[in-house]
Amino acid sequence: MKQILDRLQPGLGSEVNLDLMAGETTARGQCQRGLGILRDMDDVESKLGPQAPALSADQLHPWVWGGAAALWDAGARQDAVLAAARTVNARIQQKLERHDIGETDLCMQSFDTKDAVAGKPRLRFPGDRLLPTWKAKQEGAKYVAAGAFLAIRNIAAHQEQVAWSEQEALEYLATLSVVARWVEECEVEQPE
């Protein structure tokens, strides 16, 4: 009891002395103070502590959460991430009508800033292609998307049992969600 009270408020537990005649009354009072502290913790935290935003999995891109939800609910985080990655890959292949190469190469080719060539259409963000920011986004998407498949999908698919925490797996799903949003935002550019 003393340890719990001291954890709630340093020194609160050391004020309890059960050897004294009024020890039981003092202990009861300190416990009531401890319960009051516990009751008010959420209010204190919400008013004084930083308010971190929460990432809601069901608000991730539908391609990602739709592919992952059932497996996630079953506690299979690794399989949920893998299913989401496979869904995103299938959507990229479908959008570009390309089923001839793996997802990493597909991302590197499809987001490339070079002109589309026969059999190799490109994904293009809207906007002025002469602006450095457009090129930065296009190039960045190429490497983020390819990296997501290399570092997330491949680990989920080829490592026997990954001990991802819930937070880590959720972050991987969020990364795949970003890739999915970019793919959906882009237009397909065919060769001229």
Side-chain angles (χ1 to χ4, degrees):
M1 177 182 71
K2 287 182 176 189
Q3 290 175 342
I4 293 170
L5 291 171
D6 279 335
R7 174 90 34 111
L8 290 172
Q9 181 180 330
L12 185 60
S14 61
E15 294 177 23
V16 176
N17 185 352
L18 295 176
D19 295 334
L20 298 174
M21 188 99 137
E24 186 178 328
T25 305
T26 304
R28 185 175 288 121
Q30 296 305 81
C31 286
Q32 287 174 342
R33 280 182 63 190
L35 289 170
I37 291 169
L38 281 172
R39 185 182 57 247
D40 295 340
M41 275 182 143
D42 289 337
D43 287 341
V44 170
E45 184 67 28
S46 70
K47 291 184 177 43
L48 299 179
Q51 287 294 323
L55 181 63
S56 181
D58 64 353
Q59 295 300 305
L60 295 173
H61 193 281
W63 298 349
V64 171
W65 189 242
L71 292 162
W72 188 274
D73 287 344
R77 292 190 286 261
Q78 180 178 349
D79 292 333
V81 171
L82 180 58
R86 287 180 171 157
T87 301
V88 172
N89 178 49
R91 294 300 189 124
I92 296 170
Q93 290 177 337
Q94 180 182 32
K95 185 165 185 163
L96 293 169
E97 297 178 7
R98 288 203 65 188
H99 305 278
D100 57 326
I101 58 176
E103 62 271 300
T104 302
D105 288 338
L106 182 59
C107 290
M108 293 295 289
Q109 290 180 26
S110 63
F111 283 108
D112 199 277
T113 56
K114 295 176 188 169
D115 290 336
V117 295
K120 295 181 181 178
R122 306 287 190 221
L123 291 172
R124 296 291 187 234
F125 286 105
D128 185 348
R129 296 183 188 178
L130 299 176
L131 293 175
T133 52
W134 181 88
K135 184 176 180 182
K137 187 170 184 178
Q138 194 72 30
E139 286 285 321
K142 173 172 70 173
Y143 293 112
V144 169
F149 286 105
L150 281 170
I152 297 172
R153 182 258 183 233
N154 285 350
I155 299 303
H158 301 297
Q159 200 167 8
E160 280 196 30
Q161 193 60 19
V162 182
W164 289 333
S165 68
E166 183 174 303
Q167 180 66 32
E168 190 175 12
L170 185 60
E171 290 171 6
Y172 293 149
L173 289 176
T175 302
L176 292 166
S177 182
V178 169
V179 173
R181 289 187 196 285
W182 286 342
V183 170
E184 194 170 48
E185 177 184 349
C186 286
E187 296 294 323
V188 176
E189 178 184 275
Q190 297 290 349
E192 294 179 11

